[in-house]
Amino acid sequence: MADLSTHIAGIKSPNPFWLASAPPTDKAYNVERAFRAGWGGVVWKTLGEDPPVVNVSSRYGAVDLNGYKIMGFNNIELITDRPLEVNLREIKEVKSKWPDRAVVVSLMVPCNEESWKRILKKVETTNADGVELNFGCPHGMSERGMGSAVGQVPEYVEMVTRWVKANTRMPVLVKLTPNIGDVRLPARAAKKGGADGVSLINTINSITNVDLDIMAPMPTVGGKGTHGGYCGPAVKPIAMNMVAEIARDAETRGLPISGIGGIATWKDAAEFMALGSQSVQVCTAAMHYGFKIVEDMVDGLSNWMDSKGYKKLDDFVGKAIPNITDWKYLDLNYQIIANIDQTKCISCGICYIACEDTSHQAISKSTQQKPNNKNRYEIIDKECVGCNLCLLACPVPGAINMVKVDNGKPFLNWTRHPNNPMREA
């Protein structure tokens, strides 16, 4: 059986599946239920200085798609509203009961060194395995000069990270905001400040729904609404791109990464790890389906690793990074075209409509002879540009495949293309 044990930024856990800093990690009751279910670690919901924040009601909104519930999840909840001393006591108790699990504490305090000193000193008494600096929360706290208000300014990220590293013995992860033009900049700043690793992504600024009866964003609070933080399966592609950007950046290459964003299955986790994540954090899926989803995650990842011959996580962590490049380096002469397997085609016509209306008119339609008189769809090879649209639209697995064309043309990318006025010699 594959070894799923994880070691990231000096923090160990029996598997890479952690619960992210969020409502599921707000108290000992939840965290102990999670550990009994098999989670390898948690990031305790963000602590701040007393007095605690005040939250609103309601707090959550969601985007559903074609019967899929909570494809995207929106929240306007703030950091923990429980007293700091209660949280600290529970963290210490949980860590003493579960010494093999990772217990990382998320922190957010005003942007001055004394505030960070005070809270770090208190957190160290819990014997937590590390801290995560919440530089990502996009609502409520950012208006108070914390959260993404810090994370969007690389100079602040470096400054606060440096303060924290100077005032604690614990490993430090910096949680990055996606609400920024180039995520590499705060990642570089975190590294310069001495961070032991980064975690990303935090939630994305969003308004998910508008109640058209009362004309207010949802969730509503007394008839009013605000932007919130967006997460769930819908943000996974954005998160994976940002993880990959940091993993392949020359200035942050090798910086440990804890991946977050829409992870709900072992396959999601494996994809994040292939892009450089050494652990993964889950929130929305746990809130939707409960803590026991980790059983399928652990079994699925282990079975897949066995099937591939991977003995440990490091055997495939980051393995996809060498195959990620900039568009200008892609082979412009590489060619594929679609092929329809007539034995699997159900003559629904979705591929034809998509290509005819919005793409390259590369699919022909004809009516078959009796006995069925169904339409027959075929690829017009000379018109097909290999865009994949028909493959993606087709509802039948394997009915459409993309086939490589041996066109005899040599490798040629944009950097040397004759149409590029800045082409390389």
Side-chain angles (χ1 to χ4, degrees):
M1 178 174 281
D3 179 7
L4 299 188
S5 62
T6 306
H7 190 283
I8 170 174
I11 302 167
K12 298 179 181 179
S13 61
N15 65 59
F17 299 105
W18 297 1
L19 286 172
S21 170
T25 62
D26 193 31
K27 58 176 73 75
Y29 177 84
N30 299 53
V31 171
E32 292 209 61
R33 283 178 62 83
F35 284 164
R36 284 194 292 272
W39 291 88
V42 300
V43 181
W44 205 276
K45 188 174 180 184
T46 306
L47 309 185
E49 290 189 307
D50 281 332
V53 302
V54 178
N55 274 297
V56 296
S57 175
S58 60
R59 303 176 189 178
Y60 304 145
V63 174
D64 301 338
L65 181 66
N66 296 334
Y68 187 108
K69 298 291 290 182
I70 313 183
M71 180 200 73
F73 189 65
N74 171 278
N75 86 90
I76 57 171
E77 187 165 308
L78 303 183
I79 64 176
T80 185
D81 53 14
R82 305 168 72 234
L84 177 59
E85 293 306 321
V86 172
N87 276 301
L88 293 171
R89 183 179 69 248
E90 291 186 2
I91 292 167
K92 185 171 185 177
E93 291 170 355
V94 168
K95 185 58 191 177
S96 68
K97 292 179 183 178
W98 301 88
D100 67 321
R101 309 303 171 94
V103 178
V104 179
V105 180
S106 178
L107 297 176
M108 184 193 296
V109 295
C111 200
N112 64 74
E113 188 170 6
E114 286 306 312
S115 293
W116 285 100
K117 273 185 180 181
R118 283 195 300 271
I119 201 163
L120 287 166
K121 184 176 180 181
K122 293 176 180 179
V123 172
E124 283 191 342
T125 66
T126 68
N127 298 316
D129 297 290
V131 292
E132 182 182 82
L133 313 187
N134 185 342
F135 293 158
C137 184
H139 56 272
M141 306 308 294
S142 56
E143 290 92 321
R144 309 178 197 192
M146 295 180 274
S148 62
V150 176
Q152 291 170 334
V153 184
E155 293 80 5
Y156 292 173
V157 171
E158 180 180 350
M159 176 180 68
V160 178
T161 303
R162 199 176 298 281
W163 288 344
V164 172
K165 285 298 296 180
N167 288 285
T168 186
R169 55 173 173 73
M170 296 179 289
V172 176
L173 297 175
V174 172
K175 192 172 187 179
L176 303 177
T177 177
N179 301 302
I180 192 167
D182 188 344
V183 76
R184 295 174 300 177
L185 301 181
R188 291 170 185 170
K191 186 175 182 180
K192 288 179 183 176
D196 298 288
V198 292
S199 56
L200 70 156
I201 60 174
N202 208 309
T203 52
I204 301 170
N205 262 329
S206 66
I207 291 177
T208 50
N209 312 91
V210 174
D211 186 321
L212 294 177
D213 292 320
I214 65 172
M215 289 294 174
M218 299 172 67
T220 58
V221 181
K224 303 290 184 181
T226 187
H227 67 90
Y230 195 51
C231 54
V235 311
K236 178 187 165 190
I238 298 168
M240 289 201 299
N241 174 64
M242 290 188 171
V243 165
E245 286 295 282
I246 292 170
R248 73 187 189 98
D249 180 40
E251 295 187 40
T252 52
R253 191 176 297 130
L255 183 66
I257 298 171
S258 185
I260 314 168
I263 298 165
T265 69
W266 71 264
K267 186 173 182 293
D268 296 332
E271 290 174 354
F272 269 82
M273 286 187 249
L275 294 173
S277 297
Q278 292 171 277
S279 73
V280 291
Q281 298 183 32
V282 178
C283 173
T284 305
M287 294 181 73
H288 191 179
Y289 300 111
F291 288 149
K292 288 193 174 182
I293 60 168
V294 75
E295 296 174 0
D296 289 338
M297 290 179 168
V298 169
D299 289 345
L301 184 61
S302 179
N303 291 337
W304 173 76
M305 289 174 63
D306 287 344
S307 72
K308 295 293 185 180
Y310 298 133
K311 303 296 184 185
K312 58 187 184 303
L313 297 178
D314 284 346
D315 290 344
F316 74 94
V317 167
K319 203 172 180 66
I321 292 300
N323 293 322
I324 301 175
T325 189
D326 296 335
W327 188 95
K328 63 184 178 181
Y329 297 122
L330 298 176
D331 185 1
L332 297 171
N333 283 336
Y334 182 83
Q335 184 181 4
I336 58 172
I337 60 173
N339 177 69
I340 299 175
D341 185 339
Q342 299 298 336
T343 66
K344 295 180 180 179
C345 178
I346 60 173
S347 298
C348 66
I350 290 175
C351 64
Y352 172 78
I353 294 168
C355 187
E356 191 71 12
D357 285 356
T358 69
S359 196
H360 292 84
Q361 298 77 53
I363 300 177
S364 66
K365 178 176 74 171
S366 60
T367 302
Q368 298 180 13
Q369 299 300 312
K370 292 181 179 181
N372 55 36
N373 288 326
K374 289 183 178 179
N375 288 329
R376 178 184 176 90
Y377 300 95
E378 295 184 275
I379 304 299
I380 306 171
D381 291 356
K382 65 183 177 64
E383 300 295 338
C384 182
V385 301
C387 70
N388 290 347
L389 178 60
C390 59
L391 170 67
L392 298 173
C394 179
V396 181
I400 298 180
N401 299 292
M402 307 306 293
V403 181
K404 186 179 183 302
V405 175
D406 185 6
N407 58 21
K409 296 180 180 179
F411 179 92
L412 178 67
N413 64 40
W414 180 244
T415 67
R416 299 192 176 187
H417 196 278
N419 291 348
N420 180 2
M422 300 179 67
R423 65 182 179 275
E424 298 174 0

